[in-house]
Amino acid sequence: MEKEYIILCDESDKKGPFFSNFYGGVIVGGSNWKSVSDLLETSKRKAGITSEVKWSKVGPYEVERYKVLVEKFFDLIHDGKIRMRVMFRQNIHQAVNLTQEHAKNEYFLLYYQFLKHGFGLAHMPHHPDGVRLRFYLDQLPDQSKEKLAQFRGYISGLSQNAYIRKVGLSISEEDIAEVDSKKHVLLQCADVVLGSISFRLNEKHRSIPAGMKRRGKRTIAKEHLYKYILSHIRRVTGKNSFNIGISTGLSSDLQSQWSDPYLHWRFVPKDHVYDKKQTKGHKKSPI
């Protein structure tokens, strides 16, 4: 059994016309950490990629190079070396009964939910000798030191959850770190996959620059890469009609929350109303 796991997380659009609050991350066992990172770095070099990989950089020049890295990334998911999780919120589900404090801390509250539930920590195999969990979070938005410390405290407090404690998981505040994605190729891959999902769900593939009649070359390139990513998501999940706008079903029982190679989670607040004004039939796509 692994003695430690590392979760690397990124976030994308905080607010989109149809979907918002995108979070994505990968989990890797400590014994695979170096070999996985080395394989992805090798793929970058073979593809001729010499700088940080980011969804925002995708254009006609990058798309074929990025496809080489994306394929290797999903090969690792398929082979069980890493697992990926994605969470987002659909705007039609509007939370109600929120305090001003809830609204103010939306980013961290949703991030916490993703870290707590998105990776199925409560359903991991029992580790009788204990297992360490580290979090590498892409640089968080500017916040007070007090708020950041509070957030780390909440995350480390997960190890006190009865279900998570039962599997032998331990989390220390010193194991929760903000990192530079330039130094972590796994975070770069997560950024590209997460960015592609936000791009498509918010219909940015339809975007036409002001004063133009057709889509730009970068938009077309991004749509091409998104479709390539979707084909690999369908490959590793075995879902040929995979719908990226809803939660993915589990392959078997609750333990699949931990073991499934790739999962989507459309977060729906417990107390919410359905706002049909937020549907695509009532709103125009971004231009």
Side-chain angles (χ1 to χ4, degrees), residues 22-279:
F22 287 81
Y23 300 90
V26 295
I27 184 167
V28 57
S31 65
N32 290 322
W33 166 255
K34 187 178 185 305
S35 62
V36 162
S37 298
D38 288 347
L39 284 169
L40 291 172
E41 289 289 359
T42 298
S43 290
K44 281 182 67 174
R45 289 193 296 271
K46 287 182 177 179
I49 302 171
T50 58
S51 61
E52 181 182 11
V53 171
K54 294 182 69 69
W55 176 254
S56 60
K57 291 183 177 181
V58 175
Y61 177 81
E62 290 80 16
V63 65
E64 293 301 323
R65 289 171 169 78
Y66 277 28
K67 284 168 66 175
V68 175
L69 182 62
V70 164
E71 181 177 21
K72 176 57 68 175
F73 179 67
F74 278 98
D75 282 348
L76 292 167
I77 292 176
H78 182 269
D79 294 342
K81 301 295 185 182
I82 57 176
R83 297 187 295 281
M84 182 164 188
R85 302 291 185 261
V86 170
M87 187 185 92
F88 51 84
R89 182 180 63 80
Q90 191 170 10
N91 297 349
I92 60 173
H93 301 118
Q94 294 290 313
V96 295
N97 301 321
L98 296 181
T99 66
Q100 288 185 342
E101 193 66 19
H102 285 145
K104 186 178 179 180
N105 294 317
E106 176 188 57
Y107 174 87
F108 286 119
L109 290 172
L110 289 173
Y111 210 155
Y112 174 78
Q113 291 299 316
F114 176 58
L115 297 176
K116 180 179 181 180
H117 299 291
F119 295 89
L121 300 178
H123 304 288
M124 70 185 296
H126 175 63
H127 286 62
D129 297 325
V131 58
R132 176 187 183 187
L133 180 61
R134 289 191 280 161
F135 289 92
Y136 288 172
L137 310 179
D138 195 17
Q139 293 177 333
L140 299 169
D142 291 337
Q143 298 286 344
S144 67
K145 290 183 179 180
E146 180 182 359
K147 185 168 291 186
L148 292 173
Q150 185 181 47
F151 183 52
R152 288 191 178 91
Y154 280 132
I155 297 173
S156 64
L158 287 174
S159 59
Q160 301 306 313
N161 175 278
Y163 295 101
I164 293 177
R165 186 173 67 246
K166 187 176 180 180
V167 302
L169 195 63
S170 65
I171 308 169
S172 301
E173 284 198 39
E174 55 265 30
D175 288 332
I176 304 165
E178 289 182 74
V179 296
D180 185 349
S181 58
K182 292 179 181 178
K183 300 177 181 179
H184 296 278
V185 66
L186 276 169
L187 264 179
Q188 295 172 40
C189 293
D191 175 275
V192 170
V193 175
L194 187 63
S196 74
I197 294 166
S198 175
F199 170 83
R200 182 58 182 83
L201 287 180
N202 281 314
E203 298 199 341
K204 296 178 184 179
H205 65 297
R206 300 180 184 272
S207 177
I208 298 176
M212 304 294 289
K213 294 183 179 181
R214 295 185 178 87
R215 298 182 302 162
K217 292 181 180 180
R218 289 177 63 83
T219 298
I220 294 172
K222 285 185 174 182
E223 183 181 27
H224 181 80
L225 184 57
Y226 156 73
K227 289 180 178 179
Y228 187 74
I229 290 170
L230 177 61
S231 71
H232 281 288
I233 293 175
R234 288 173 171 170
R235 172 170 70 95
V236 300
T237 60
K239 300 176 185 293
N240 293 328
S241 57
F242 183 84
N243 183 344
I244 64 166
I246 62 175
S247 297
T248 50
L250 300 175
S251 63
S252 54
D253 53 23
L254 287 176
Q255 193 174 22
S256 298
Q257 292 182 25
W258 164 261
S259 61
D260 273 4
Y262 184 102
L263 291 175
H264 267 210
W265 177 21
R266 182 182 62 176
F267 178 84
V268 179
K270 183 177 181 181
D271 296 323
H272 71 275
V273 294
Y274 183 88
D275 185 0
K276 64 180 181 180
K277 292 182 180 179
Q278 301 294 326
T279 62

